[in-house]
Amino acid sequence: VECSSVDEALAAAGAGADIILLDNLAPQELHAAAAQVKAAHPGVTVEASGGIVLETLPQFLGPHIDVVSMGCLTHSAPALDFALRV
């Protein structure tokens, strides 16, 4: 379940979600929210997403973050022009 606040994340985990995606949170807010979710629901997987790039990735890693999604790996990839003749 995609959540944009700790209240949404706790509600989703309490309703039975097994994966919580914390989207577009600043690193400090993200880590605080992830810690609260893990304290209340230890079996829930917590994913960080939203605006994370390779340069800022270390700020989003932490003991309560299980998965990090980075859209920059696909939507910012350079195009390759090629042809194949059979």
Side-chain angles (χ1 to χ4, degrees), residues 6-85:
V6 68
D7 292 333
E8 286 181 4
L10 290 170
D18 55 353
I19 301 174
I20 300 296
L21 185 147
L22 295 171
D23 195 29
N24 293 317
L25 299 179
Q28 277 188 320
E29 188 180 5
L30 169 77
H31 294 298
Q36 289 182 44
V37 170
K38 287 290 193 171
H41 306 278
V44 169
T45 298
V46 176
E47 179 176 354
S49 182
I52 303 170
V53 295
L54 291 174
E55 293 78 21
T56 62
L57 177 61
Q59 299 172 29
F60 292 89
L61 302 176
H64 306 293
I65 305 299
D66 300 303
V67 179
V68 176
S69 295
M70 296 173 44
C72 68
L73 297 176
T74 55
H75 66 66
S76 298
L80 174 64
D81 186 17
F82 70 96
L84 175 66
R85 291 187 181 171

